[in-house]
Amino acid sequence: MIIPKSEEEIELMRESALVVSKTLGMIAKEVKPGVTTLELDKKAEEFIRDHGAIPGFLGLYDFPNTLCMSPNAQVVHGIPNNKALEEGDIISIDCGAIKNNFYGDHAYTFEVGEVSKEVKQLLEVTKASLYKGIEQFKQGNRIGDVGFAIQKHAEKHGYGVVRELVGHGIGKTMHEDPEMPNYGKRGRGKRFVEGMTVAIEPMINLGTKRVKQLPDGWTILTADMKPSAHFEHDVALVNGEPKLLSTFDYIYEALGITSNEENQFKF
């Protein structure tokens, strides 16, 4: 069942999402060769708690950490560890926080030092596909319209679109209805309603769309061990249009990046 939110609830959710945004902005300064994902995880937990929130992933479905840290061929749900990041790696960092009894949840794939042109293009296309999907989250459209837009843009570049993992509704629980696949057919699925809040999150692979899971029960890998990218925003349907609850602005400020990609979706 879709749970529309009131204007007041959407504003509270925006506060939760911005805790995550600020956490990822802080982490952006720390992602470099030699740092371990476990070190980053500890910094994130401390930062979230210092900002009056609770880590949203820690203990959720028994997940053991604050961040999902997924380098290179790991798609999502990687568990932080003591292995140091290396020059040329990429690392997808998914973060959640609870504030005002609402969840914030979004993700960004970071470059570790200098990465190859092939991998850099994967990141650029995956992030662009996120915004292609967000554009379709509007009054009159359906779930399939978002998935179709993401799939079309990613597959146009020859990439694999993961099927087994999808975006989702979000609110007082991390995963609400509806599921938001990153593939689909236009005009299919549930129709969007005013006040909906969702997490849209393309997971796009450089090679095959197929994935596998490690014995740890969490980590998802590409079947061909080629790199994967993951970008995610929390979005609300306000006055029939998509409005971002989250932002990458804090990341861009930390990395010295200038971007206007979010402008059309801001409140």
Side-chain angles (χ1 to χ4, degrees), residues 58-74:
L58 184 61
L60 182 69
Y61 312 125
D62 294 325
F63 187 75
N65 292 89
T66 293
L67 300 175
C68 292
M69 307 283 280
S70 308
N72 301 321
Q74 293 186 17

Side-chain angles (χ1 to χ4, degrees), residues 75 160-165 182-183 203-205 209 211 228:
V75 182
V161 179
V162 175
R163 301 302 203 265
E164 290 85 350
L165 301 146
N182 298 306
Y183 60 93
M203 290 155 273
I204 308 298
N205 301 341
K209 65 186 177 185
V211 298
S228 181

Side-chain angles (χ1 to χ4, degrees), residues 56-173:
F57 293 169
L58 184 61
L60 182 69
Y61 312 125
D62 294 325
F63 187 75
N65 292 89
T66 293
L67 300 175
C68 292
M69 307 283 280
S70 308
N72 301 321
Q74 293 186 17
V75 182
V76 287
H77 302 163
I79 299 174
N81 57 45
N82 284 313
K83 186 178 185 299
L85 296 175
E86 298 180 4
E87 181 80 18
D89 285 346
I90 57 171
I91 177 81
S92 297
I93 302 181
D94 196 354
C95 180
I98 308 168
K99 188 174 184 180
N100 307 313
N101 296 316
F102 285 102
Y103 278 87
D105 165 33
H106 54 285
Y108 193 91
T109 301
F110 294 90
E111 302 174 18
V112 184
E114 291 295 323
V115 305
S116 69
K117 289 182 179 180
E118 183 182 43
V119 170
K120 187 180 287 286
Q121 178 177 282
L122 171 68
L123 270 57
E124 291 172 352
V125 170
T126 302
K127 182 149 64 71
S129 75
L130 169 63
Y131 292 108
K132 296 283 187 184
I134 291 171
E135 286 175 353
Q136 298 303 314
F137 182 62
K138 59 186 178 182
Q139 187 173 1
N141 276 5
R142 297 176 181 269
I143 289 171
D145 295 304
V146 171
F148 177 84
I150 293 169
Q151 180 183 7
K152 180 181 178 182
H153 190 70
E155 291 183 347
K156 180 173 68 176
H157 290 82
Y159 299 145
V161 179
V162 175
R163 301 302 203 265
E164 290 85 350
L165 301 146
V166 299
H168 51 89
I170 187 168
K172 290 188 174 180
T173 57

